[in-house]
Amino acid sequence: MSTTLPDGVKYVVVGAGIHGLSTAWHLAMELEAKGAGSGADVIVIDKSGPGAGASGIACGCVRNLYMTEPLHAILRHSVDVWMYDPVAFGFQQVGYISAGEANQAEDYERMVKSQNGVGYPSEVRHGKDAKDFLKNIWPDFNTDKIEVVLHEKLSGYAGTRQAIRGLAGKCEQHGVRIFSGVEVEGYDRTNGAVSAVRTDHGTIRCDAVILALGAWTPKHWEMLGGASTLDVGYRDGSRIDGKDMWTYWRLLEGELYFDEPYVTREGYNPPVLHVELMNTPVIDERTGREISDNMYIYWKNGNERMDRPGLQGGTMPIRIGPEASVEPYGHDNPEYQADPWFADYMPSAMGYLMGRFKGQRSNFRERPNGGIGAFTPDNVPIFDWIADNVYMIADSNHGFKMTGVGKLVARHLARGHEVEELKPFAFSRFAEGRAYGSGTTNCPWV
């Protein structure tokens, strides 16, 4: 791709991951539909290239399992985007199943009510009905500890690199130019607005900037004068003063070779599976030692990066703190690879849940599996203006599945009015006592 930048353009999108590409593509379509411009008014710049960050190495799950109810509408729009061209984006709409103990039943009921309320059909099953439902899909499922199941019918998974190629292709079809190998060095400000983006390949005058930076968000936040801490008020009345604006978490995902077809009882590609058993430890099936005092595991059929058949999955990420080395990123950074215990954890948890996976530790794929994400103060995305003409998409590492954010942001930018689905994610929520969770929340997935 060319690195001969234009002297000026109306919209500069910084970051060529899921959010940057989706926003640029949808913005081009919105401008065309309004007769207010075209993709020629939009450029995307990235210091490496499309999918170089978390978007390119994500496990690829597309699900709506969130306690934060406003996210359910975001995922409703996202599935519409995935289904716009599922072949180009590599989307497999197989559904998503989350299984847990009775202590999760109330949360599941609340989530299902909210999901159905925004047109995202799902259902919840309890007790024997939940166990029978799982056994009907996976006959060897160990349902001893399972008391509740949530089934999202529109969810599934996608190929990460295929999705990036598909979105980049949509951008190019609509005249959006993508510039790889272009690093932002600073932002020129005039009366509070960014008048130009300074890069290592020249300066670009612009009317608006859209930040879609993933793990690099804190760096650009600082460039624009953002504070490193802030006071956060929560909806439950609690408050934390001087909380870190950004917190990095390290992802724990990996792959397990499995040469037999991983299919349902009827021979179909199974739903993505997530199991959370708060009171069930994960025991190393080879040594009998306890790896963890609770089970949190998800997996699906392998995709793309696997060199032979198998499964891809993961568990809860690990908190790093407000500082982290973003470069090099992902699998290339030895500092943030999955811990050695995870290679025991994943096959042991899978073997406990399904008989077919017992004794599979030797088939864990030993290779670099690393990545980090920058989370917001309440671990929920921020979609908002952070300067007069700078819009920030800070997804708090929930991003790959949320292709619909770009669609909604583009609508907001092109039409000039607020979009209801984006309002709950305004930056002002922290000062106004509307942050999500509470001051004691430790889980990054809320």
Side-chain angles (χ1 to χ4, degrees):
M1 297 180 185
S2 170
T3 51
T4 303
L5 300 175
D7 293 330
V9 69
K10 190 169 184 178
Y11 299 100
V12 176
V13 179
V14 186
I18 287 286
H19 293 310
L21 295 173
S22 179
T23 301
W25 164 40
H26 284 97
L27 185 53
M29 291 195 295
E30 287 281 354
L31 294 172
E32 292 163 5
K34 280 191 64 181
S38 68
D41 297 308
V42 185
I43 67 168
V44 180
I45 59 175
D46 193 285
K47 66 183 292 296
S48 297
S55 295
I57 62 172
C59 191
C61 300
V62 177
R63 49 91 172 175
N64 209 351
L65 187 77
Y66 285 108
M67 293 295 294
T68 304
E69 293 183 1
L71 286 170
H72 297 158
I74 299 290
L75 264 295
R76 170 66 267 188
H77 286 283
S78 296
V79 166
D80 288 345
V81 175
W82 286 109
M83 290 302 293
Y84 181 92
D85 193 342
V87 174
F89 302 146
F91 182 53
Q92 305 285 326
Q93 196 171 50
V94 295
Y96 183 94
I97 289 175
S98 183
E101 299 161 332
N103 53 22
Q104 294 168 264
E106 185 177 337
D107 290 339
Y108 278 23
E109 291 282 3
R110 186 164 57 251
M111 279 189 281
V112 163
K113 181 179 179 181
S114 175
Q115 290 173 359
N116 285 322
V118 296
Y120 202 99
S122 61
E123 60 187 7
V124 62
R125 298 170 183 266
H126 301 272
K128 184 177 183 300
D129 186 33
K131 297 174 188 286
D132 290 345
F133 178 73
L134 293 175
K135 289 278 194 181
N136 188 55
I137 300 171
W138 298 281
D140 58 336
F141 203 115
N142 175 13
T143 60
D144 288 350
K145 304 290 186 178
I146 305 297
E147 292 296 334
V148 62
V149 165
L150 186 155
H151 179 206
E152 299 174 0
K153 300 177 183 180
L154 299 185
S155 301
Y157 66 92
T160 52
R161 290 179 294 191
Q162 188 172 348
I164 290 295
R165 286 195 300 269
L167 287 168
K170 298 298 183 189
C171 287
E172 291 164 0
Q173 288 171 21
H174 288 270
V176 174
R177 290 163 288 173
I178 301 171
F179 296 92
S180 299
V182 176
E183 184 169 5
V184 173
E185 297 181 335
Y187 298 92
D188 292 340
R189 305 283 287 271
T190 304
N191 298 323
V194 169
S195 55
V197 178
R198 286 184 281 109
T199 81
D200 58 354
H201 282 73
T203 298
I204 314 162
R205 291 176 288 100
C206 59
D207 293 339
V209 177
I210 299 96
L211 302 180
L213 291 153
W216 288 266
T217 301
K219 176 181 178 181
H220 290 251
W221 172 262
E222 184 179 359
M223 283 184 188
L224 289 162
S228 61
T229 63
L230 79 168
D231 300 337
V232 180
Y234 295 88
R235 294 164 189 249
D236 66 356
S238 61
R239 181 180 178 86
I240 296 180
D241 292 336
K243 190 166 187 179
D244 291 322
M245 180 65 210
W246 306 104
T247 300
Y248 291 94
W249 290 69
R250 177 166 56 87
L251 309 183
L252 289 175
E253 294 183 336
E255 299 155 352
L256 186 74
Y257 290 127
F258 192 67
D259 291 327
E260 299 176 23
Y262 174 60
V263 294
T264 67
R265 179 196 294 271
E266 297 177 341
Y268 297 119
N269 189 3
V272 179
L273 178 65
H274 165 247
V275 178
E276 184 174 1
L277 301 176
M278 303 175 188
N279 300 304
T280 300
V282 176
I283 305 298
D284 188 325
E285 61 182 12
R286 297 180 305 165
T287 67
R289 71 182 175 91
E290 182 177 297
I291 304 173
S292 172
D293 63 3
N294 68 90
M295 182 178 295
Y296 186 107
I297 185 79
Y298 56 88
W299 75 79
K300 63 176 185 60
N301 258 315
N303 209 17
E304 292 185 330
R305 293 188 306 275
M306 295 201 69
D307 54 349
R308 59 184 243 232
L311 295 307
Q312 293 171 310
T315 188
M316 187 74 71
I318 295 176
R319 186 181 186 276
I320 300 173
E323 302 291 335
S325 302
V326 182
E327 306 287 353
Y329 187 76
H331 303 333
D332 296 326
N333 191 331
E335 189 174 354
Y336 302 127
Q337 299 307 304
D339 296 301
W341 60 260
F342 178 71
D344 300 325
Y345 179 100
M346 182 175 171
S348 293
M350 293 174 69
Y352 172 85
L353 291 168
M354 291 188 192
R356 72 189 78 186
F357 297 127
K358 289 186 182 298
Q360 294 292 318
R361 172 60 181 86
S362 62
N363 285 325
F364 183 85
R365 187 182 184 191
E366 302 286 357
R367 76 172 186 101
N369 281 291
I372 63 174
F375 287 68
T376 67
D378 61 357
N379 298 329
V380 172
I382 299 169
F383 308 133
D384 202 0
W385 297 98
I386 58 168
D388 289 352
N389 64 339
V390 180
Y391 195 96
M392 182 175 72
I393 300 173
D395 64 22
S396 204
N397 219 73
H398 300 348
F400 179 84
K401 64 187 73 64
M402 294 185 183
T403 50
V405 172
K407 166 187 167 183
L408 296 171
V409 170
R411 184 179 299 172
H412 173 55
L413 294 171
R415 302 183 189 183
H417 59 70
E418 292 193 45
V419 174
E420 288 296 322
E421 293 90 336
L422 296 175
K423 285 183 181 180
F425 306 99
F427 180 74
S428 60
R429 69 179 185 263
F430 302 112
E432 295 170 355
R434 295 185 294 106
Y436 295 97
S438 72
T440 60
T441 298
N442 294 311
C443 176
W445 307 132
V446 293

